[in-house]
Amino acid sequence: RDGVGVVTAGDRALPVVDGRLAVRGLDAELAIVRDGHGVPHVWAKSPRDAWFGLGFVQAQDRLAQLSFLIRAARGRTAEVLGPEALEADRLARTLGFGRLGDAQLLRLDASTRRVLDAHAAGISAWIEEVKSGRAVTPVPLTRLEVPLETWSAADSLAVAKLVAWGLDGSLDATLVLSDLIEKLGGFGARPFFPPEA
């Protein structure tokens, strides 16, 4: 009760902020320092290692969210949530966020691909820490028995497409505006677009 040597389950679920970790995939040693607000700052000797470090801390802080987002993007939420998630999975597969991410990855320039690969390697490095038992599995993933899977650069693209879809207006409005542009041209359809704030 005095706090000396006591680690609670809630504390163990928080990111490791002190000490050293040896993880595969880095070219050189990097430092991750969290400020007084818990915001991570990555100090690396190369841009590639900096992107790796960013992925690593994102997974430390948001592994459950990342796990659910990639399942939603690839239409695989019913695997862990059950039949009530089938409709959302069908929509995600129909829209093809996962397929689009996979296809876009093949068309990226080498520089962008290196960034996404390094970032994905960082996420996967934290996932390996959790899978090995050196770090604690986030509570939502434990409760739902969500299996952890290696992250890929294509996963990042698929999640970006899912998030962009969610930020859009309504599907109906988008389709109507698309039809207007096709029939009236960009200039002719301008009066139908909502005014910018």
Side-chain angles (χ1 to χ4, degrees):
R1 292 218 175 258
D2 62 6
V4 177
V6 175
V7 178
T8 66
D11 292 337
R12 290 176 59 227
L14 296 175
V16 176
V17 295
D18 293 315
R20 299 172 72 84
L21 292 173
V23 297
R24 272 191 253 136
L26 288 170
D27 295 330
E29 186 174 353
L30 68 81
I32 298 170
V33 178
R34 290 182 182 264
D35 64 24
H37 300 287
V39 176
H41 301 268
V42 178
W43 300 89
K45 294 181 180 173
S46 70
R48 187 215 170 270
D49 281 356
W51 285 107
F52 181 102
L54 177 64
F56 191 83
V57 296
Q58 284 177 325
Q60 272 190 317
D61 290 352
R62 301 281 181 190
L63 185 56
Q65 183 179 18
L66 289 169
S67 296
F68 285 114
L69 280 170
I70 191 53
R71 285 184 175 280
R74 293 202 177 269
R76 296 182 54 210
T77 56
E79 293 174 9
V80 294
L81 298 177
E84 61 273 8
L86 282 173
E87 186 176 338
D89 283 354
R90 282 188 192 108
L91 178 61
R93 288 179 182 217
T94 299
L95 296 172
F97 302 125
R99 287 190 317 275
L100 291 168
D102 295 339
Q104 185 179 13
L105 185 68
L106 301 174
R107 296 188 310 269
L108 292 178
D109 62 271
S111 174
T112 304
R113 176 69 189 258
R114 280 192 300 274
V115 166
L116 286 173
D117 283 341
H119 181 258
I123 293 172
S124 292
W126 181 252
I127 289 170
E128 284 306 311
E129 290 295 304
V130 174
K131 286 170 73 172
S132 72
R134 292 185 297 270
V136 176
T137 305
V139 173
L141 300 181
T142 302
R143 284 189 183 152
L144 293 171
E145 299 177 2
V146 177
L148 291 174
E149 300 171 356
T150 301
W151 193 269
S152 72
D155 289 340
S156 296
L157 294 170
V159 166
K161 292 176 184 319
L162 171 72
V163 170
W165 173 265
L167 294 175
D168 193 19
S170 74
L171 175 60
D172 293 336
T174 302
L175 293 174
V176 167
L177 292 174
S178 177
D179 286 346
L180 287 170
I181 291 171
E182 188 176 312
K183 292 187 187 319
L184 303 174
F187 186 77
R190 282 184 70 191
F192 297 95
F193 280 81
E196 293 183 18

